[in-house]
Amino acid sequence: MAQPAVTPRKILETKYRISETAMALFLEEGYANVTVEAVAEASSVSRRTIFRHFESKDELVFPDHTERLGLVGRCLDESAPDADPVEAVIAATEESLREFISRPDLVLRRYQLTRVVPELRKREVVEHERYVALTRSYLRDHLPADAPPFQPMALAALIDAIHRSALGNWVRTGGATDPLAELAAGMEWVRRLVDHQSTFSSAPLLLAVLPDTPHTRRTLTSLKAEAEDLL
């Protein structure tokens, strides 16, 4: 009798199951005290199967980042040729967050672990930098040619920081916040920032000499406050 085909989805589910088992053991017995053999036994798989899915012990805690990085890359690649590059990155980031919170147990357990195991916390930072590198590269290739050279890095880092803030608030509260709403609010702020910069850079400058009077100072203070509200 033919064996059922092993689909990519089944492979991914096995990977997640092993990861969740490993993290439960790490939290119960301590990260340093749990061996790969113990994870294999608790997961009812062989040690060889573990290393087929994970290159190292610390990678057991991050089974989803490579998949999610691929999701972000696909979203960017599938953007329309005339799409606004910042909007494309925002849309890809929103998809990434939806995927993150679709597995709350995994993300919440990982948060607990990374708070108490320094090497895992460092690995988490490295994983996030992969997202920044991907979106920075996309923005560098798709922003207008006359965009400031710092803009791809600045926008990629800013969008990622807002994403991490929304996700971080969610995990710190045990899933009680609405990370998608927080991300949406943050992305609106990014849009206003980009629009304001574009408007300012393309507008002609007006120079004026004004008398130094209390009325002039009040007027300039009011204009400054309005300008800050735009940001």
Side-chain angles (χ1 to χ4, degrees):
M1 184 175 180
Q3 295 293 322
V6 179
T7 65
R9 187 64 190 175
K10 286 184 178 179
I11 293 173
L12 193 57
E13 288 298 330
T14 299
K15 186 176 182 180
Y16 283 140
R17 181 174 61 82
I18 293 170
S19 177
E20 289 170 357
T21 301
M23 285 194 280
L25 287 174
F26 294 156
L27 288 169
E28 182 180 346
E29 302 179 18
Y31 178 74
N33 300 324
V34 177
T35 64
V36 172
E37 287 75 15
V39 173
E41 182 178 354
S43 304
S44 300
V45 298
S46 67
R47 186 176 186 274
R48 181 179 179 181
T49 298
I50 296 285
F51 284 110
R52 187 181 303 136
H53 293 292
F54 304 94
E55 293 183 0
S56 60
K57 179 180 172 180
D58 65 339
E59 196 174 302
L60 284 164
V61 182
F62 303 97
D64 50 338
H65 278 292
T66 297
E67 296 296 327
R68 191 169 299 107
L69 197 68
L71 171 64
V72 172
R74 288 193 300 276
C75 287
L76 295 175
D77 290 342
E78 293 169 4
S79 298
D82 59 346
D84 181 286
V86 176
E87 288 296 333
V89 171
I90 288 175
T93 302
E94 289 171 345
E95 285 301 312
S96 173
L97 183 57
R98 287 190 186 93
E99 179 63 23
F100 253 118
I101 63 177
S102 70
R103 292 184 175 273
D105 290 343
L106 186 151
V107 179
L108 294 173
R109 282 179 178 175
R110 177 162 59 215
Y111 175 74
Q112 290 178 275
L113 277 168
T114 55
R115 298 292 80 81
V116 296
V117 184
E119 56 260 50
L120 294 180
R121 177 59 177 161
K122 292 177 182 177
R123 174 65 184 266
E124 186 176 50
V125 172
V126 171
E127 291 292 340
H128 278 293
E129 285 303 313
R130 295 170 68 193
Y131 293 95
V132 177
L134 179 61
T135 55
R136 179 183 66 227
S137 176
Y138 177 84
L139 290 169
R140 186 175 59 240
D141 293 340
H142 292 83
L143 283 171
D146 60 349
F150 62 80
Q151 200 169 62
M153 181 71 241
L155 285 171
L158 178 59
I159 291 171
D160 180 67
I162 294 171
H163 170 266
R164 282 191 287 168
S165 175
L167 183 61
N169 289 336
W170 181 73
V171 295
R172 280 190 292 273
T173 61
T177 63
D178 186 345
L180 290 171
E182 288 189 31
L183 182 68
M187 294 305 103
E188 281 303 310
W189 183 76
V190 171
R191 291 183 180 101
R192 291 198 302 271
L193 184 67
V194 172
D195 289 345
H196 174 71
Q197 182 191 48
S198 176
T199 300
F200 180 80
S201 62
S202 62
L205 296 178
L206 175 64
L207 299 179
V209 179
L210 302 173
D212 185 7
T213 65
H215 176 70
T216 299
R217 292 180 182 180
R218 286 195 299 271
T219 301
L220 291 176
T221 300
S222 176
L223 289 172
K224 179 181 178 183
E226 291 182 14
E228 290 174 347
D229 287 343
L230 291 174
L231 298 177

